[in-house]
Amino acid sequence: MIWKTIKVNFHRLGSPPTFYRLAQVLAPWLWAGFAVCAAIGLYQALYVVPPDYQQSDSFRILYIHVPAAWQAMAGYVVMAILAVIALVWRIRTVEIMAMAGAPIGAAFTFICLATGSLWGRPMWGTWWAWDARLTSMLVLLFIYLGIMGLYAAFEDRRKGARVACILILVGIVNIPIIHFSVEWWTTLHQGATIRLFSGESTMHESMMPPLIWMTIAVKLMFGAALLDRSRNDLLDQDRRKGWVQARLGESA
Amino acid sequence: MIVRSMSALIERDLRLAIRHGGESLMPLIFLFSVIILIPLGVGPGPNLLAAIAPGMIWVAALLASLLALENLFRPDLDDGTLEQWWIGDCPAGALVVARLFSHWLITAVPVIVFAPLAAQMLYLPAEALGVLVLSLLLGTPILSLVGGLAAALTLGTNRGSVLLSILVFPLIVPVLIFATGAVSAAADGLSARAHLGLLGALLILAITLVPLATSAALRLNIE
Amino acid sequence: MSRMLETHQATYARSGEPVFEPVDLALDAGQALIVLGPNGCGKTTLLRMLAGILRPWQGKIIRHCQPAFLGHLPAFKGDLSCRENLAFQRRFHGGAGLDESRALARVGLAGLGLRPARTLSAGQKRRLGLAGLLVAPGSLWLLDEPYASLDDSGSELVDHLLTEHLAGGGAVALSAHQRKPAIAVDPVRLELKAAEMLP
């Protein structure tokens, strides 16, 4: 009974006009939240936190690098959840959302790799090191690119989305294995310094607040970008449909 | 019923492979062209060659297995035999397994048989040969399974071959790491059992999950 | 009289657009169904959906027996001989039908058993497809344009095979353009309508 109610509501939410309206209302709030959190986080990261006694100011790139890395992985999990929903209930808007997540996730992965490389130059003396976390991030980037390429290769965009959803699910099984195997393969990187759930953090307390602000900011930005991208894709795919023309006519 | 359909498919695939001839030879020729090019590229020093031999043989085997993927499902799609897989009682996942098994027999087994010779050409220590063959026996079926999945995913597109390698490469990273790890360990006189065990675990995981995803992808692509 | 196939409001969608109006039909043993409609209204799609190759987008399809599908594509390998192709189909579909040479003789291809299938003419390929129906045990035949590229004697052959199959307790659904089947049983007619675009 409850199951059925959830399903009905899901499908209602999945109807393109409803989703479009919801995304239109929600996205600006998320963008605003992102701007506020990022402003606080960046101010604290750049002016409040004292320089590190070993790395001086260069460690501050961490406040971009780490949230981007987390979001690159969290974004994949979000896509995988959307992919399950899309494949099981065949809701078109969810398929579109899953696909809209890929370029954003890929962008965060790229930011993570680029900032990591900038950080690595002064710290390790090299732009690129074949260490476990860098390598698995690079592999993740390729998985993202594979999903985007597969989706783009289909003429029928719905079919492309559904096929790419299968790939997303294959990836979610594989990513932990890749991560683990790459870790096994080499351990050159410094050990994990931030442990949220177990043991004590080896980061100084004063360094934490901006990281939290930036993490929240990045999550909000992901959500906002996801909604905006899916809204645009929906508009593009449905441009000949009645509801789009009614909506555009209304605003024109 | 399932076994009969599967064996019918395997028998027909093997018959076709024999009639086409070259299909088995292609990966083998590819393997040896890579193995011959390496010393020309990095120099004939036995120590250097022995050090890179496990990785090189495995990378060559991986690329060789990519060669034949394009023809895994496409001819069947074009002549209509693929859609017959969904008519009748035999689950398509079982037929996927049958097809991949014959593909493995045709393309991977020759590579496994000749791998010790290739390893000798790169001065791999003799005590690592057994582990090399074992790692190929465990690893190449995973290559076939993952490659089959990628082939099924890209079946409905017309630029499949470029996409294929992008899709296969990330998924195959663990196999390459554990397989070359096993061979390198054996070459250094260490035990390769941990690596081989993990490779076996990956094979079991792949054999249980990949056929399901592959048949789902095939079905989407014939629609 | 036993039920072979039922559909309840079944329809198929491509890119989220329904292809044809929902179909309700019931087919009993000994009955023939002929699917009519203009080009592009989804006759082939309907038959493929009835065969189980495509999944209905909405509605339900219940098959009470093993189907056999003969479409536009030959569904055999050009590099194998006619006999090898039939032997494969027989085993693949768990065959208990005619043996290969009798099936070939029945469709007028006697003596061509060892020829590679790719050397056959278009009409002969259609005949080989029909022979495939005889070796596999499907009691529900789903035929997409069975008269296409067949000469007069070939079309008569199709009529004969259909009559025999229906008399033997089978059922047939087929799409046809120019020629209508000349069989003893009066076929059920299904006018397929292309679906309107959704708003």
Side-chain angles (χ1 to χ4, degrees), chain B residues 83-89 219 222, chain C residues 5-7 43-56 61-63 65-71 93 140-144 173:
Chain B
E83 61 189 20
Q84 296 285 335
W85 288 18
W86 278 268
I87 299 170
D89 331 314
R219 176 127 201 201
I222 57 167
Chain C
L5 175 76
E6 293 170 55
T7 71
K43 296 189 290 290
T44 301
T45 308
L46 174 67
L47 286 171
R48 292 180 79 203
M49 190 172 80
L50 294 179
I53 299 166
L54 305 177
R55 279 163 299 185
I61 297 178
I62 306 161
R63 278 174 292 272
C65 62
Q66 165 102 349
F69 174 75
L70 181 61
H93 293 294
L140 169 66
W141 285 5
L142 301 161
L143 313 178
D144 190 16

Side-chain angles (χ1 to χ4, degrees), chain B residues 27-28 65 102-113 136 140-141 144:
Chain B
L28 213 52
S65 83
S102 53
H103 178 255
W104 179 79
L105 281 180
I106 295 159
T107 62
V109 168
V111 169
I112 298 174
V113 169
L136 283 167
T140 47
S144 290

Side-chain angles (χ1 to χ4, degrees), chain A residues 142 154 159 163 177-178 184, chain B residues 153 169-170 195 205 220-221 223:
Chain A
F142 271 88
F154 280 86
K159 195 197 271 185
V163 171
I177 301 175
I178 293 170
W184 178 296
Chain B
L153 286 170
F169 144 68
H195 288 99
L205 186 73
L220 276 174
N221 271 314
E223 282 183 352

Side-chain angles (χ1 to χ4, degrees), chain B residues 4-5 7-9 11-12 15-16 19-20 76 78-81 83-84 86-89 95 219 222-223, chain C residues 12 48 51-55 66-69 73-77 79-81 84 88 91-95:
Chain B
R4 186 159 55 172
S5 296
S7 63
L9 189 63
E11 191 200 308
R12 191 197 63 177
R15 202 186 281 267
L16 278 169
R19 211 143 293 181
H20 285 295
D76 283 37
D78 292 342
D79 63 22
T81 42
E83 61 189 20
Q84 296 285 335
W86 278 268
I87 299 170
D89 331 314
L95 297 171
R219 176 127 201 201
I222 57 167
E223 282 183 352
Chain C
Y12 183 75
R48 292 180 79 203
I53 299 166
L54 305 177
R55 279 163 299 185
Q66 165 102 349
F69 174 75
L73 296 169
F76 44 71
K77 292 288 174 189
D79 287 331
L80 296 181
S81 71
E84 282 168 332
F88 166 72
R91 268 183 71 197
F92 186 78
H93 293 294

